[in-house]
Amino acid sequence: MHYLSPKMVCETKIVADEHESIPGTKKEAMIVSSSQLWSSSQPHTSNVLEENAKRDAVFIREFQLSDQDEVRRIFYEGIMERIPNTAFRGLKQQSKIQIMYGFLTIMCFFVTKSMALTCCVPFLLMAARYYFSRKVILSYLDCALHTDMSDIEQYYMKPTGSCFWVAVLDGNIVGIVAARGNEEDNTVELRRMSVDSRYRGMGIAKALGRKVLEFAMLNNYSAIVLGTTAVKLAAHKLYESLGFQHAGVSEEFTLPGMNHSILERMFFQLRYHRYRLQLREE
């Protein structure tokens, strides 16, 4: 398969989607006279509008070595958010685990005959979920920070058919995404997508996803694939809005640091969702 150089397709400038809320960009009503409209203040108004447009514009470019610390920070913070999400939000998707926790709570009452101890059981169960979520996810984070995220240049920028981008807003790196090509099945994997929590809701994640889509088409890949353990519905809706089709879910996915002990199975569960965006038939 013939690949174009990643340098040819890794830079673009976009503006956040109109339907998404961007703090500080709401238009304020202004009443001016016709003379004011054509006064010498017109160039000033034009300059202000230009500055606002520049401020609100998101610039997506290739990763540079000087970005390493900020990229790792955004990745780290994004993964750390998954600890409470997996421990607490993820429980909503685990009906069997909910039933088991309810059974344990009832059994505690029958065994101890103590309402005080019984009331403590749900809090102890949630604490155990948080402990195991933190333990496993920190192990996964340590593994990632010592593999591809430790040398982005070597892992993503040098290999043909792969790339890593950052989203820049007002001079700050606010989002990241990677593409890793697989020549065996002519697919590219969307990886490491994350947006700084202070800049979410501005269309940045969608713009990063579109950059991977553009990259895949220009490099003649047949499909884009991704896997996620995200429990937030917003993440899944984002992939679907980009055109991805849900390709299956597995509850047997193993992260680095998992040992599948009885306690771990009781207090830590993952659902690994696979998505695929078919670009052309092989």
Side-chain angles (χ1 to χ4, degrees), residues 34-266:
S34 58
S35 60
Q36 287 175 311
L37 186 62
W38 299 102
S39 67
S40 58
S41 65
Q42 187 177 8
H44 173 71
T45 304
S46 177
N47 290 337
V48 170
L49 291 174
E50 277 187 21
E51 289 300 317
N52 287 340
K54 288 179 180 179
R55 181 192 63 194
D56 298 335
V58 178
F59 183 70
I60 299 181
R61 62 165 172 79
E62 282 187 9
F63 168 84
Q64 299 171 359
L65 286 176
S66 59
D67 302 331
Q68 182 78 23
D69 290 342
E70 276 298 284
V71 166
R72 285 166 62 92
R73 177 189 66 80
I74 291 173
F75 175 72
Y76 174 88
E77 292 176 357
I79 296 298
M80 289 299 288
E81 288 179 11
R82 296 197 177 190
I83 295 175
N85 286 339
T86 303
F88 307 131
R89 290 193 185 204
L91 183 57
K92 295 178 181 179
Q93 304 171 354
Q94 303 290 336
S95 57
K96 292 180 180 179
I97 298 296
Q98 291 179 39
I99 294 171
M100 182 182 72
Y101 290 174
F103 176 76
L104 290 174
T105 304
I106 294 170
M107 286 297 296
C108 176
F109 177 75
F110 279 109
V111 171
T112 65
K113 302 293 193 253
S114 169
M115 184 60 69
L117 285 176
T118 303
C119 290
C120 290
V121 171
F123 296 99
L124 293 174
L125 292 173
M126 292 303 101
R129 287 187 65 84
Y130 187 86
Y131 169 79
F132 279 96
S133 292
R134 180 178 175 83
K135 173 179 174 291
V136 173
I137 290 174
L138 284 179
S139 295
Y140 165 76
L141 182 60
D142 181 69
C143 177
L145 291 175
H146 286 86
T147 52
D148 62 306
M149 296 303 289
S150 69
D151 193 348
I152 295 170
E153 182 77 19
Q154 182 67 34
Y155 198 87
Y156 292 107
M157 303 306 294
K158 291 184 178 180
T160 302
S162 298
C163 198
F164 196 104
W165 299 270
V166 298
V168 181
L169 178 64
D170 197 23
N172 300 311
I173 295 176
V174 298
I176 60 174
V177 74
R180 181 78 170 172
N182 185 352
E183 292 190 8
E184 290 184 6
D185 59 2
N186 195 28
T187 62
V188 62
E189 182 184 7
L190 186 154
R191 312 184 83 228
R192 305 308 191 202
M193 180 188 283
S194 187
V195 175
D196 191 314
S197 59
R198 296 169 295 178
Y199 298 92
R200 290 174 188 167
M202 300 172 64
I204 295 172
K206 185 173 286 189
L208 289 165
R210 287 171 178 163
K211 172 52 68 175
V212 175
L213 175 59
E214 173 191 333
F215 176 81
M217 290 190 296
L218 289 175
N219 284 277
N220 296 319
Y221 283 107
S222 61
I224 307 172
V225 297
L226 68 85
T228 181
T229 58
V231 297
K232 284 186 176 181
L233 183 61
H236 298 274
K237 287 193 172 183
L238 169 66
Y239 304 137
E240 291 170 359
S241 72
L242 289 167
F244 284 88
Q245 299 287 326
H246 192 256
V249 59
S250 171
E251 297 189 3
E252 300 300 322
F253 185 72
T254 301
L255 287 176
M258 291 180 66
N259 56 25
H260 297 291
S261 65
I262 294 176
L263 285 176
E264 186 179 273
R265 288 180 178 273
M266 283 180 60

